[in-house]
Every structure is written in C-alpha cells, then in structure tokens.
Amino acid sequence: SQQGEEDPQALSIQEGENATMNCSYKTSINNLQWYRQNSGRGLVHLILIRSNEREKHSGRLRVTLDTSKKSSSLLITASRAADTASYFCATDRGSGAGSYQLTFGKGTKLSVIP
Amino acid sequence: DAGVIQSPRHEVTEMGQEVTLRCKPISGHNSLFWYRQTMMRGLELLIYFNNNVPIDDSGMPEDRFSAKMPNASFSTLKIQPSEPRDSAVYFCATAVMGGARQPQHFGDGTRLSIL
C-alpha cells in the first residue's frame, strides 16, 4: 500500500541549526502534507504541497516535492527548542477509491537542544 | 474556534469492559476521521464519515469496534468488549471537505489503556 516513509527516524540538533527531514512515497499523489505532533498532543497541519508544485514556504518551513523521485523534504531553518516534536508526512491516494484517505508515515522525531 | 474536542483524554479500564470515545468536530467541517496510533503500527485510519454518513470503515479492526455520527456535532467510537491489544491513542480529525485534499484538524486524542 502507498505510504510515506520519513527519514531519518530520529534527529538531534543544536538550537539555531537547520533540520532537514525527508519523505518517500510509492505511487502517484495529488498532494503531500506535513504535520507536527508534540508529545501528548494531536497532529497539527504545517503545510500542503500539491503535485504540480515544487517548493513551498511558510515562515521558517520550506517544503520541496520531487514527483519524479517520489520524495519530499521538510526544512526547518534556525531551529528552536519549541520545534522539538515528531514530524509526519502524509500522502493521498491520487484518484479513485479511497482518494479521500491520507496515509501517514511513522514520523521523524526531532530534538532541538537549547 | 475551539478545535476538535475529544473526551475523555485518558481512559483506563479492565478487559471486557465497554469503552466509548467521543468527538466534537469543528463547526462546518463535514469530513470526520477516527485514527488509532501505536508505536508499532503508527497512525491508522479506522473509519471515515462524510456529511455524517460512514463512507469507509475498512480500517475498523473487528466487529468489537463500532462508530456513529448521529449529527454534525458529535461522533462516538465504541469498543465492546475491550481487549489489552486495543490499548493505543485514538484520534478524531476533521476537515472542511474532501479529506485528503484539505488539511485535517486533529483533537488531542484519547489515551486508552486496557488492563
């Protein structure tokens, strides 16, 4: 089944450094979304990038999408301790049955050390 | 906007007991999803409602699980009888429409422990 898989599984950086997380998926998509989950909380939507877009920015977040490689990356610039969380990519199923469904990866656990 | 509200936040009960999880969606959102999150399996979709109608319940693990959405303001997920392997965090999420093409808004989940 189609699934986004994040890499690395865990990442530890110093405050102020940039953090890059990657996501790979298997079949064609309409869009890819990134979510953040703080410990003990629900997922929070960060950014949605459509299949015809290559790059998108939101504040300190930069997302790229390469549909030829079936991969995406999330860059967090000038990281802060408050960015410590798990980050998930989620993909849809393109068209047809189940196209409403998002499939989430297992996430990258980011730790930002003050 | 109060966001998606789930209750209870934590539930500890003994196996065999009935468990009911509740969700109040964001007003105006007509897509509602129930997910289960575990370390081993990650986030799994259990059931999807659109305009209060169950569209896909293929992710519901067994007949012990049931979900209802009697109106646009309320949904429940029930497990009867509960088993230790049902222990997980259960999330409710809602979207304006067409779930996968719009951001989903998650509640803070119910952490369920079955002893």
Side-chain angles (χ1 to χ4, degrees):
Chain A
S1 64
Q2 175 176 312
Q3 181 177 22
E5 295 187 5
E6 294 88 349
D7 169 61
Q9 289 186 330
L11 179 62
S12 184
I13 60 174
Q14 296 288 329
E15 201 166 29
E17 294 181 338
N18 295 341
T20 299
M21 289 158 271
N22 303 298
C23 170
S24 59
Y25 57 93
K26 296 177 183 174
T27 60
S28 63
I29 60 172
N30 288 308
N31 68 75
L32 184 145
Q33 302 184 35
W34 284 93
Y35 288 79
R36 182 188 76 230
Q37 184 179 31
N38 291 88
S39 180
R41 304 297 298 274
L43 280 72
V44 174
H45 179 262
L46 294 176
I47 201 161
L48 181 154
I49 186 166
R50 304 195 189 281
S51 59
N52 61 353
E53 297 176 311
R54 291 297 167 258
E55 188 170 311
K56 207 161 182 181
H57 297 255
S58 177
R60 294 183 296 112
L61 305 181
R62 174 180 166 240
V63 168
T64 61
L65 179 64
D66 187 335
T67 53
S68 66
K69 295 181 179 178
K70 294 186 171 59
S71 67
S72 175
S73 67
L74 170 67
L75 168 68
I76 304 174
T77 60
S79 64
R80 304 167 182 168
D83 295 328
T84 294
S86 291
Y87 292 81
F88 297 85
C89 69
T91 53
D92 69 348
R93 285 189 179 180
S95 59
S99 59
Y100 52 82
Q101 183 172 336
L102 281 179
T103 303
F104 290 82
K106 292 277 182 77
T108 292
K109 191 167 186 176
L110 174 67
S111 298
V112 181
I113 303 166
Chain B
D1 189 340
V4 176
I5 300 173
Q6 290 188 247
S7 63
R9 287 297 313 278
H10 303 273
E11 175 89 16
V12 180
T13 192
E14 294 187 345
M15 65 177 294
Q17 296 298 307
E18 177 180 294
V19 174
T20 299
L21 311 181
R22 297 173 176 79
C23 175
K24 177 177 170 56
I26 294 172
S27 177
H29 284 197
N30 63 5
S31 293
L32 185 142
F33 305 82
W34 281 100
Y35 291 92
R36 177 172 67 177
Q37 186 179 40
T38 61
M39 289 293 293
M40 289 294 295
R41 300 174 67 91
L43 201 65
E44 303 173 279
L45 177 65
L46 300 177
I47 188 168
Y48 162 56
F49 289 88
N50 190 51
N51 290 324
N52 312 336
V53 175
I55 303 300
D56 182 357
D57 65 355
S58 61
M60 297 285 262
E62 299 171 33
D63 290 345
R64 298 184 295 106
F65 285 69
S66 63
K68 293 182 179 179
M69 192 165 185
N71 57 61
S73 303
F74 186 62
S75 178
T76 59
L77 177 68
K78 187 174 292 187
I79 308 173
Q80 167 61 20
S82 57
E83 296 183 3
R85 60 194 167 120
D86 302 331
S87 297
V89 182
Y90 291 81
F91 289 101
C92 174
T94 68
V96 174
M97 63 178 186
R101 302 191 185 211
Q102 299 289 333
Q104 293 188 13
H105 300 258
F106 283 73
D108 279 335
T110 295
R111 183 173 294 275
L112 178 63
S113 297
I114 308 296
L115 307 177

